[in-house]
């Protein structure tokens, strides 16, 4: 894989990493005990009077944040792993068979870890 292509992908992944971290920080807080883990924030709508609909909205919002947080965390993990593979000069190689992953696949899906040859595409 040529250096120019790798640099382009590295920049793309770096931008995505920043965006993911920014979005995670909006809906979650970093867990101080677990590296690379976030905890969704529970939004208290601040009603002093018991209001079941307000509490239901709080729970619904928290449920949405939990799901979104998990998705963003997984994507961030994949981006960080791709950046690490670039650093270790193993980026762009199928983790199943060792062949080079097609550049078009990597451009569309920079965190790809497998190619589309033979057994790899069936797993």
């Amino acid at each position: 894989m040529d250096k120019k292509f790798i640099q382009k992908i590295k920049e793309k992944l770096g931008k995505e990493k920043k965006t993911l971290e920014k979005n995670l920080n909006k809906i979650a807080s970093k867990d101080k005990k677990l590296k690379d883990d976030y905890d969704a924030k529970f939004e208290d709508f601040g009603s002093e009077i018991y209001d079941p609909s307000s509490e239901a909205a709080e729970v619904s919002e928290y449920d949405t944040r939990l799901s979104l947080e998990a998705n963003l965390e997984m994507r961030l993990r994949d981006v960080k792993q791709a950046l690490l593979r670039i650093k270790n000069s193993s980026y762009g190689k199928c983790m199943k068979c060792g062949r080079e992953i097609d550049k078009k696949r990597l451009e569309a899906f920079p965190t790809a870890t497998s190619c589309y040859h033979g057994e790899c595409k069936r797993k």
Side-chain angles (χ1 to χ4, degrees), residues 3 6 8 16-17 19 24 32 39 58-59 63 67 70 72 77-78 81 90 93 101 103 106 112-113 115 119:
K3 289 183 181 184
I6 294 290
K8 178 181 161 185
E16 186 174 354
K17 179 179 178 266
T19 300
L24 268 166
K32 292 176 177 128
D39 296 317
E58 289 172 354
V59 171
D63 187 49
S67 177
L72 291 172
R77 179 204 64 215
D78 292 347
Q81 287 175 349
S90 61
K93 295 178 184 154
I101 299 171
K103 283 184 179 182
L106 291 172
T113 59
C115 66
E119 290 295 313

mmCIF file of all heavy atoms in Angstrom, residues 3 6 8 16-17 19 24 32 39 58-59 63 67 70 72 77-78 81 90 93 101 103 106 112-113 115 119:
data_model
loop_
_atom_site.group_PDB
_atom_site.id
_atom_site.type_symbol
_atom_site.label_atom_id
_atom_site.label_comp_id
_atom_site.label_asym_id
_atom_site.label_seq_id
_atom_site.Cartn_x
_atom_site.Cartn_y
_atom_site.Cartn_z
ATOM 1 N N LYS A 3 2.281 5.081 0.481
ATOM 2 C CA LYS A 3 2.274 5.994 1.633
ATOM 3 C C LYS A 3 1.240 7.103 1.494
ATOM 4 O O LYS A 3 0.631 7.520 2.475
ATOM 5 C CB LYS A 3 3.662 6.589 1.837
ATOM 6 C CG LYS A 3 4.655 5.591 2.352
ATOM 7 C CD LYS A 3 6.000 6.246 2.596
ATOM 8 C CE LYS A 3 6.991 5.199 3.095
ATOM 9 N NZ LYS A 3 8.283 5.800 3.430
ATOM 10 N N ILE A 6 -2.146 5.672 2.427
ATOM 11 C CA ILE A 6 -2.188 5.445 3.879
ATOM 12 C C ILE A 6 -2.347 6.771 4.614
ATOM 13 O O ILE A 6 -3.127 6.872 5.561
ATOM 14 C CB ILE A 6 -0.914 4.700 4.356
ATOM 15 C CG1 ILE A 6 -0.867 3.283 3.785
ATOM 16 C CG2 ILE A 6 -0.816 4.678 5.872
ATOM 17 C CD1 ILE A 6 -1.905 2.327 4.351
ATOM 18 N N LYS A 8 -3.752 9.504 3.508
ATOM 19 C CA LYS A 8 -5.127 9.961 3.257
ATOM 20 C C LYS A 8 -6.099 9.256 4.213
ATOM 21 O O LYS A 8 -6.962 9.894 4.820
ATOM 22 C CB LYS A 8 -5.497 9.671 1.803
ATOM 23 C CG LYS A 8 -6.902 10.032 1.411
ATOM 24 C CD LYS A 8 -7.133 9.665 -0.053
ATOM 25 C CE LYS A 8 -8.595 9.576 -0.371
ATOM 26 N NZ LYS A 8 -8.852 9.115 -1.733
ATOM 27 N N GLU A 16 -12.535 11.322 11.868
ATOM 28 C CA GLU A 16 -13.652 10.539 12.397
ATOM 29 C C GLU A 16 -13.494 10.323 13.903
ATOM 30 O O GLU A 16 -14.467 10.401 14.652
ATOM 31 C CB GLU A 16 -13.758 9.194 11.679
ATOM 32 C CG GLU A 16 -14.983 8.418 12.097
ATOM 33 C CD GLU A 16 -15.214 7.147 11.315
ATOM 34 O OE1 GLU A 16 -14.488 6.871 10.346
ATOM 35 O OE2 GLU A 16 -16.146 6.407 11.695
ATOM 36 N N LYS A 17 -12.282 10.093 14.341
ATOM 37 C CA LYS A 17 -12.016 9.895 15.778
ATOM 38 C C LYS A 17 -12.431 11.136 16.562
ATOM 39 O O LYS A 17 -13.121 11.038 17.583
ATOM 40 C CB LYS A 17 -10.528 9.593 15.987
ATOM 41 C CG LYS A 17 -10.134 9.396 17.436
ATOM 42 C CD LYS A 17 -8.638 9.079 17.532
ATOM 43 C CE LYS A 17 -8.210 8.918 18.951
ATOM 44 N NZ LYS A 17 -7.680 10.119 19.560
ATOM 45 N N THR A 19 -14.576 13.462 15.694
ATOM 46 C CA THR A 19 -16.038 13.600 15.632
ATOM 47 C C THR A 19 -16.718 12.644 16.600
ATOM 48 O O THR A 19 -17.642 13.030 17.328
ATOM 49 C CB THR A 19 -16.541 13.355 14.200
ATOM 50 O OG1 THR A 19 -15.940 14.320 13.334
ATOM 51 C CG2 THR A 19 -18.050 13.467 14.115
ATOM 52 N N LEU A 24 -19.589 11.651 21.592
ATOM 53 C CA LEU A 24 -19.669 10.890 22.847
ATOM 54 C C LEU A 24 -19.690 11.826 24.054
ATOM 55 O O LEU A 24 -20.457 11.611 24.996
ATOM 56 C CB LEU A 24 -18.492 9.922 22.967
ATOM 57 C CG LEU A 24 -18.731 8.526 22.437
ATOM 58 C CD1 LEU A 24 -17.424 7.763 22.294
ATOM 59 C CD2 LEU A 24 -19.689 7.758 23.327
ATOM 60 N N LYS A 32 -13.964 6.933 34.653
ATOM 61 C CA LYS A 32 -12.642 7.170 35.242
ATOM 62 C C LYS A 32 -11.908 5.877 35.582
ATOM 63 O O LYS A 32 -10.702 5.868 35.748
ATOM 64 C CB LYS A 32 -12.784 8.035 36.484
ATOM 65 C CG LYS A 32 -13.224 9.450 36.152
ATOM 66 C CD LYS A 32 -13.449 10.284 37.382
ATOM 67 C CE LYS A 32 -13.802 11.691 36.957
ATOM 68 N NZ LYS A 32 -14.988 12.209 37.538
ATOM 69 N N ASP A 39 -19.887 6.465 29.979
ATOM 70 C CA ASP A 39 -21.158 6.196 30.642
ATOM 71 C C ASP A 39 -22.169 7.248 30.201
ATOM 72 O O ASP A 39 -21.914 8.451 30.349
ATOM 73 C CB ASP A 39 -21.007 6.243 32.166
ATOM 74 C CG ASP A 39 -20.082 5.166 32.687
ATOM 75 O OD1 ASP A 39 -20.191 4.018 32.221
ATOM 76 O OD2 ASP A 39 -19.236 5.465 33.562
ATOM 77 N N GLU A 58 -37.583 11.092 30.634
ATOM 78 C CA GLU A 58 -36.201 10.969 31.106
ATOM 79 C C GLU A 58 -35.652 9.568 30.832
ATOM 80 O O GLU A 58 -34.530 9.407 30.353
ATOM 81 C CB GLU A 58 -36.112 11.266 32.604
ATOM 82 C CG GLU A 58 -36.311 12.712 32.957
ATOM 83 C CD GLU A 58 -36.419 12.959 34.459
ATOM 84 O OE1 GLU A 58 -36.461 11.976 35.237
ATOM 85 O OE2 GLU A 58 -36.458 14.134 34.858
ATOM 86 N N VAL A 59 -36.448 8.564 31.138
ATOM 87 C CA VAL A 59 -36.026 7.175 30.935
ATOM 88 C C VAL A 59 -35.857 6.888 29.442
ATOM 89 O O VAL A 59 -34.896 6.247 29.027
ATOM 90 C CB VAL A 59 -37.028 6.191 31.591
ATOM 91 C CG1 VAL A 59 -36.715 4.749 31.192
ATOM 92 C CG2 VAL A 59 -36.996 6.343 33.103
ATOM 93 N N ASP A 63 -32.426 5.801 27.644
ATOM 94 C CA ASP A 63 -32.368 4.574 26.849
ATOM 95 C C ASP A 63 -31.766 4.859 25.468
ATOM 96 O O ASP A 63 -30.930 4.112 24.973
ATOM 97 C CB ASP A 63 -33.774 3.980 26.715
ATOM 98 C CG ASP A 63 -33.768 2.629 26.042
ATOM 99 O OD1 ASP A 63 -32.957 1.760 26.449
ATOM 100 O OD2 ASP A 63 -34.573 2.425 25.112
ATOM 101 N N SER A 67 -27.994 3.419 23.961
ATOM 102 C CA SER A 67 -27.835 2.765 22.668
ATOM 103 C C SER A 67 -26.845 3.524 21.787
ATOM 104 O O SER A 67 -25.954 2.933 21.176
ATOM 105 C CB SER A 67 -29.195 2.664 21.979
ATOM 106 O OG SER A 67 -29.068 2.096 20.715
ATOM 107 N N ALA A 70 -23.218 3.155 23.096
ATOM 108 C CA ALA A 70 -22.626 1.855 22.758
ATOM 109 C C ALA A 70 -22.172 1.835 21.300
ATOM 110 O O ALA A 70 -21.069 1.376 20.983
ATOM 111 C CB ALA A 70 -23.619 0.737 23.029
ATOM 112 N N LEU A 72 -21.429 4.466 19.312
ATOM 113 C CA LEU A 72 -20.307 5.386 19.117
ATOM 114 C C LEU A 72 -19.015 4.817 19.704
ATOM 115 O O LEU A 72 -17.948 4.959 19.112
ATOM 116 C CB LEU A 72 -20.609 6.747 19.744
ATOM 117 C CG LEU A 72 -21.704 7.577 19.064
ATOM 118 C CD1 LEU A 72 -22.041 8.805 19.905
ATOM 119 C CD2 LEU A 72 -21.289 7.986 17.672
ATOM 120 N N ARG A 77 -13.695 2.540 18.910
ATOM 121 C CA ARG A 77 -12.748 1.443 19.114
ATOM 122 C C ARG A 77 -12.195 0.966 17.774
ATOM 123 O O ARG A 77 -10.987 0.778 17.613
ATOM 124 C CB ARG A 77 -13.432 0.281 19.830
ATOM 125 C CG ARG A 77 -12.511 -0.934 20.063
ATOM 126 C CD ARG A 77 -13.261 -2.228 20.230
ATOM 127 N NE ARG A 77 -13.967 -2.517 18.986
ATOM 128 C CZ ARG A 77 -15.152 -3.101 18.918
ATOM 129 N NH1 ARG A 77 -15.782 -3.467 19.997
ATOM 130 N NH2 ARG A 77 -15.721 -3.334 17.749
ATOM 131 N N ASP A 78 -13.068 0.808 16.786
ATOM 132 C CA ASP A 78 -12.639 0.355 15.454
ATOM 133 C C ASP A 78 -11.688 1.360 14.799
ATOM 134 O O ASP A 78 -10.701 0.977 14.174
ATOM 135 C CB ASP A 78 -13.847 0.118 14.547
ATOM 136 C CG ASP A 78 -14.691 -1.071 14.980
ATOM 137 O OD1 ASP A 78 -14.233 -1.872 15.822
ATOM 138 O OD2 ASP A 78 -15.827 -1.192 14.472
ATOM 139 N N GLN A 81 -8.320 1.157 16.515
ATOM 140 C CA GLN A 81 -7.608 -0.053 16.100
ATOM 141 C C GLN A 81 -7.034 0.106 14.693
ATOM 142 O O GLN A 81 -5.924 -0.334 14.416
ATOM 143 C CB GLN A 81 -8.522 -1.268 16.184
ATOM 144 C CG GLN A 81 -8.797 -1.699 17.612
ATOM 145 C CD GLN A 81 -9.811 -2.829 17.715
ATOM 146 O OE1 GLN A 81 -10.478 -3.189 16.748
ATOM 147 N NE2 GLN A 81 -9.940 -3.391 18.905
ATOM 148 N N SER A 90 0.527 -2.682 9.622
ATOM 149 C CA SER A 90 -0.274 -3.862 9.273
ATOM 150 C C SER A 90 -1.627 -3.468 8.689
ATOM 151 O O SER A 90 -2.461 -4.326 8.395
ATOM 152 C CB SER A 90 -0.473 -4.759 10.496
ATOM 153 O OG SER A 90 -1.165 -4.073 11.524
ATOM 154 N N LYS A 93 -4.205 -5.112 5.494
ATOM 155 C CA LYS A 93 -4.017 -6.552 5.306
ATOM 156 C C LYS A 93 -5.149 -7.283 5.998
ATOM 157 O O LYS A 93 -5.508 -6.981 7.130
ATOM 158 C CB LYS A 93 -2.672 -6.991 5.874
ATOM 159 C CG LYS A 93 -1.506 -6.392 5.123
ATOM 160 C CD LYS A 93 -0.194 -6.801 5.715
ATOM 161 C CE LYS A 93 0.932 -6.080 4.973
ATOM 162 N NZ LYS A 93 2.116 -5.919 5.771
ATOM 163 N N ILE A 101 -6.257 -5.808 1.416
ATOM 164 C CA ILE A 101 -7.665 -5.447 1.242
ATOM 165 C C ILE A 101 -7.727 -4.428 0.111
ATOM 166 O O ILE A 101 -6.893 -3.513 0.042
ATOM 167 C CB ILE A 101 -8.244 -4.865 2.552
ATOM 168 C CG1 ILE A 101 -8.157 -5.906 3.678
ATOM 169 C CG2 ILE A 101 -9.687 -4.402 2.349
ATOM 170 C CD1 ILE A 101 -8.507 -5.358 5.052
ATOM 171 N N LYS A 103 -8.268 -1.327 -2.134
ATOM 172 C CA LYS A 103 -8.268 0.096 -1.784
ATOM 173 C C LYS A 103 -9.670 0.705 -1.799
ATOM 174 O O LYS A 103 -10.003 1.529 -0.952
ATOM 175 C CB LYS A 103 -7.354 0.885 -2.725
ATOM 176 C CG LYS A 103 -5.901 0.736 -2.424
ATOM 177 C CD LYS A 103 -5.096 1.639 -3.353
ATOM 178 C CE LYS A 103 -3.622 1.546 -3.064
ATOM 179 N NZ LYS A 103 -2.855 2.450 -3.922
ATOM 180 N N LEU A 106 -11.307 -0.077 1.400
ATOM 181 C CA LEU A 106 -10.752 0.714 2.494
ATOM 182 C C LEU A 106 -11.177 2.180 2.419
ATOM 183 O O LEU A 106 -11.378 2.816 3.451
ATOM 184 C CB LEU A 106 -9.224 0.605 2.503
ATOM 185 C CG LEU A 106 -8.680 -0.763 2.899
ATOM 186 C CD1 LEU A 106 -7.171 -0.815 2.689
ATOM 187 C CD2 LEU A 106 -9.035 -1.105 4.334
ATOM 188 N N ALA A 112 -12.099 -1.485 7.867
ATOM 189 C CA ALA A 112 -12.226 -2.883 7.417
ATOM 190 C C ALA A 112 -11.022 -3.698 7.872
ATOM 191 O O ALA A 112 -9.884 -3.247 7.822
ATOM 192 C CB ALA A 112 -12.357 -2.939 5.903
ATOM 193 N N THR A 113 -11.311 -4.940 8.287
ATOM 194 C CA THR A 113 -10.238 -5.832 8.744
ATOM 195 C C THR A 113 -10.145 -7.101 7.907
ATOM 196 O O THR A 113 -9.288 -7.933 8.162
ATOM 197 C CB THR A 113 -10.450 -6.237 10.213
ATOM 198 O OG1 THR A 113 -11.710 -6.887 10.343
ATOM 199 C CG2 THR A 113 -10.369 -5.028 11.137
ATOM 200 N N CYS A 115 -10.795 -9.006 3.785
ATOM 201 C CA CYS A 115 -10.980 -8.827 2.340
ATOM 202 C C CYS A 115 -12.239 -9.575 1.895
ATOM 203 O O CYS A 115 -12.984 -10.079 2.722
ATOM 204 C CB CYS A 115 -9.753 -9.351 1.593
ATOM 205 S SG CYS A 115 -9.516 -11.133 1.721
ATOM 206 N N GLU A 119 -12.762 -17.679 1.509
ATOM 207 C CA GLU A 119 -13.366 -17.931 2.826
ATOM 208 C C GLU A 119 -13.613 -16.653 3.623
ATOM 209 O O GLU A 119 -14.513 -16.611 4.457
ATOM 210 C CB GLU A 119 -12.476 -18.878 3.636
ATOM 211 C CG GLU A 119 -12.455 -20.299 3.123
ATOM 212 C CD GLU A 119 -13.804 -20.983 3.242
ATOM 213 O OE1 GLU A 119 -14.442 -20.900 4.313
ATOM 214 O OE2 GLU A 119 -14.249 -21.578 2.233
#
